[in-house]
Amino acid sequence: MNTTESSFTRYRAGNGPIFSASKTPPGPGLEQSCELPFGFLWTPFNPLSDDNDWSVYQCNGTALPPVMCLTCCAYLNIYAELKVDENVWICPLCQGRNVTTPEMLRSPMTQVPGIEYRQTLAESDERDSLTILLVMDQNLPRLDAHAIGTAVQQVLGTSSTNHTTSLQLGVITFGKMLHIYQIGNASQGLVSADVFAKHEQITDAHLSRQNYLVSLDHDHEFDCLWRTLFAAYGVSAPDETQSDESVPVARLSRLEQLKQNKEERIRKELGETTQANRHQSPWTSSPATDKPTKKRGTRNVGEAMQAAIELATADPDKPARTARIFLFTNGCPNYGDGSVVDVDSFTAESASAFQIQNKIDVVNPAKLAQAIDYFSLVGKASSEAGVAVDVFCSGATEVALASYQALVEPSSGYVLPSLVFEADSLIKNLHYLFHETFVPGLHFNMPDTPGSSMLVADEQWIDGCILDIRVPSFFTVTHVVGPGELVEDSKRMLAGERSSFALGASLAAAKKVKISLPIADIVDATLIRIHVGRVDPISTFSVMLQMNEFFQHESHALFQCIARYINRQGNVLVTKTFTRRLATANDVVEFLDGVDEEVVPVLLGKEAVYRANFGRDATNNTLLETFDQATLEALAYDAQQDIDATIQKISVAYRLLGLQQGTARRGVDLTEEGGIRAAGSSLDFAFPPELSDALRRLYHLRRGPLVSPGPMQSLDDRVHLRSLFLRLPLEDSLCMMALSLWSSGALVSDAETTHVSSVPPDTLALWDNVILVADHFYELFVWSGKSAHASEYDAVRDHFKLFLAERTMHRFPVPTLHILMENDSMCRRFIALLAPSHADPIEHQLAHYPALADLSPQKLTSLQEKVNFHDTTVDSSFRNWFWSVSSATSQSTDIGISLCA
């Protein structure tokens, strides 16, 4: 893969949904698919690909052309049967007859699978406006506040000269009280803030008279931001310096951190200062320090967010069409509505100051569940008002990330934790959120009939994006995983589609073609509708399907995916449709030959992680009633058992298939050229060879941090990684499921090798004289064996850092790089992700890792002893796990439930 490609073009999902097989199962029931899932991954907002799969259709005015089926509301597509002499097309989904114009029958709609319709809405002479609010924790240290100011100036500064959008910036800080800064007055050198205990105290008079927002039409307006940050945190604007962004910043080992702390202490003793803390304001509203202090502060996050939403939507004279709220904090909500701590013990009169300080950041599971309900309501209110929320967390303490996740989910936002707000990473993450994602929202009038004035129709508010998934009547959607919310009660035509339906109906009436209103039963049976809060190029949906009893041996199945949203400027309604038709397999063998070994494990993996988050019976992201450790561990264990049950069912079905097909199928695998090759191991007789890599990925997922409670640092880490995995596209999901590992090979003195070879992510790769580089999506590792610690191997490490920098150039979120030396305490974080293949018998080790034959017996023994902390009774090797699960005596199916069920 070329890592220098422009952002997002590398995803295959740019060509529409990616199916798990090239053909549908031959009949109903999982036995017809060898217990494998059938479905697809869809990234609806990925930019259009450059190939011949897509075409853009600019609508004439505001109305869609007559391209909708009058029976099921599907769109005209390449697979429709055309009767050109009658101007009729037959819908391939419901077989309904529809009349259109000759132009439509000759248009790209009938020639390519992907069409993007663009309906121009009412133009305005005024510039579009966007309000941006920084909601900042008063407990943030100065260095974090300085990094935030630097990132905001660099990211928003590139947009301040955009002549189509006017940016307005506001700053709110919060602790126990709320401080809303009159940033508009800062240009005059006067910085002041209005202080409130609750958001209800903010009146219309405050919002109309005070200069809470400043326009960013010119770069010098950022002086207002820095004057405000100086007043709040005592930090000033940075010097103009150039930073090298080609290499990711590494997280130092503990030894290197101790050395750095010593150097800083010596500099302080000599009276040296840094740019970030050179000046201190005597008027700071918070006791900001350079680094986090042991004293814990209060955070009234709920009131701060409600005040921010009111401010973002308050201007009656010139309201912003949409708004963005960026929340920066370094702790959990622990005061007021949405608090996750035990308020009773916190406010008890008998509690000492020491007891309060020790409990102020201790998350109570019951309070956390209540806070999630509260922040879900706050987040939904913000999303419905066209306000998107994203959260940045710093520090090493627990921040109750699940509560912040509930706040951002309605607007499909992100919660991004880090130890500190490091400038380069913060800039890249903020740049992605601001420039690549946006909130579609608009007050507009859409005519119901062609030619009618937009002023006579009722005004409507459109917020977010509407996604439709249309399937044949003989398929049922069983699982949907991804951001957004399923819409169950409203599957009617949308405002932008009524003109198309009306025009199609009038043409059909003129041709005397019998028509009827869309049949509710057909629409309900063939349509899944999803509401998403924002346009995000990497947001991906995982969809599983099962053939039902309505199957009548159809030769093909047609699927159509539709995405609708307002563009960033608010003047175009975009409707993207992509239609794909798959042939029905003649038998299970033919279905197996067409499976995609990358899509299958991701479909199963997303369902497993979803169950680990919400339980087996959850629907539509149902929140847990409690977040106690025992409940979470039980859900994780259930998800592991479900993976085991799925693997056993596939193995049993494959063996039965081999018995039915005889030796012609067993032990044989098809090549890409259509030939056959003999199976390479006994595993090929017990599991489809086409899915050998998929099987290993599911093994790594089962024992990795996404599901297993093993190599996990905290509940916050688990919530963060799972929420990312459930929404990321194919390539990123594969990277999160299993570590990708490369080795330098055996090194010699003064080596300057640029050799990078892929090796299995196993403990057998931990040789003394190699340097390993690993990619686990959110974490990157460069590990040096004990014989490769010397500085003479720095050139190899530098090359590997550049290798990772190119590989992750456009990745979001920005990953953390760990530079590790063997025997560092942080090494276990890396080694725990490697499969414990050292526990296998030596003959299996040699078969799996032939390079071991070059090691002497002493070195081989030393290699095996490096990871003696592994407990093989709870963390089995791949070989032991698979045969224990797939054996005839396994009870996996008695305990677990198939992920396809």
Side-chain angles (χ1 to χ4, degrees), residues 612-804:
N613 244 8
F614 304 106
R616 291 167 174 164
D617 300 326
T619 58
N620 207 15
N621 295 356
T622 304
L623 298 174
L624 296 177
E625 294 181 359
T626 178
F627 276 79
D628 64 277
Q629 193 69 16
T631 300
L632 297 173
E633 298 305 327
L635 292 179
Y637 178 75
D638 287 345
Q640 287 181 320
Q641 297 303 312
D642 291 349
I643 294 175
D644 294 348
T646 305
I647 297 303
Q648 188 193 34
K649 283 180 174 292
I650 296 173
S651 178
V652 171
Y654 183 70
R655 295 183 196 187
L656 291 175
L657 179 65
L659 293 175
Q660 295 169 2
Q661 299 291 323
T663 58
R665 175 69 189 175
R666 298 184 65 196
V668 171
D669 187 18
L670 296 181
T671 66
E672 293 182 358
E673 294 76 18
I676 60 174
R677 58 172 175 260
S681 69
S682 57
L683 180 71
D684 296 330
F685 291 87
F687 204 82
E690 300 90 342
L691 296 173
S692 59
D693 290 342
L695 177 62
R696 292 184 179 275
R697 291 187 187 278
L698 289 169
Y699 161 74
H700 282 280
L701 173 74
R702 182 191 187 278
R703 66 176 299 274
L706 287 170
V707 174
S708 172
M712 179 57 58
Q713 292 74 48
S714 70
L715 172 61
D716 286 346
D717 293 322
R718 185 180 307 177
V719 171
H720 170 56
L721 292 176
R722 286 177 177 174
S723 64
L724 277 179
F725 180 74
L726 293 178
R727 70 186 300 169
L728 287 177
L730 176 66
E731 286 82 358
D732 290 345
S733 296
L734 291 171
C735 191
M736 290 191 76
M737 290 180 70
L739 195 75
S740 297
L741 190 65
W742 299 268
S743 174
S744 65
L747 296 173
V748 295
S749 299
D750 298 320
E752 296 183 2
T753 181
T754 58
H755 174 73
V756 181
S757 60
S758 178
V759 294
D762 298 342
T763 52
L764 294 176
L766 298 171
W767 294 18
D768 292 344
N769 58 346
V770 302
I771 295 177
L772 300 176
V773 57
D775 181 1
H776 203 219
F777 182 75
Y778 199 65
E779 291 186 305
L780 312 174
F781 302 91
V782 176
W783 178 91
S784 301
K786 61 184 178 182
S787 299
H789 285 193
S791 59
E792 59 189 290
Y793 300 108
D794 286 346
V796 181
R797 281 184 279 270
D798 291 340
H799 170 72
F800 278 178
K801 285 193 278 186
L802 287 173
F803 169 78
L804 289 174

Side-chain angles (χ1 to χ4, degrees), residues 816-846:
T816 301
L817 174 62
H818 303 271
I819 304 297
L820 305 174
M821 301 292 178
E822 186 173 349
N823 297 326
D824 284 351
S825 60
M826 282 287 291
C827 281
R828 290 198 177 190
R829 189 183 186 104
F830 165 60
I831 297 175
L833 298 171
L834 302 176
S837 53
H838 65 281
D840 289 335
I842 186 61
E843 59 271 15
H844 291 280
Q845 295 181 21
L846 292 171

Side-chain angles (χ1 to χ4, degrees), residues 109-124:
M109 291 79 151
T110 61
Q111 301 168 13
V112 294
I115 298 291
E116 180 176 299
Y117 300 92
R118 296 178 181 175
Q119 298 168 253
T120 303
L121 306 176
E123 297 288 350
S124 173

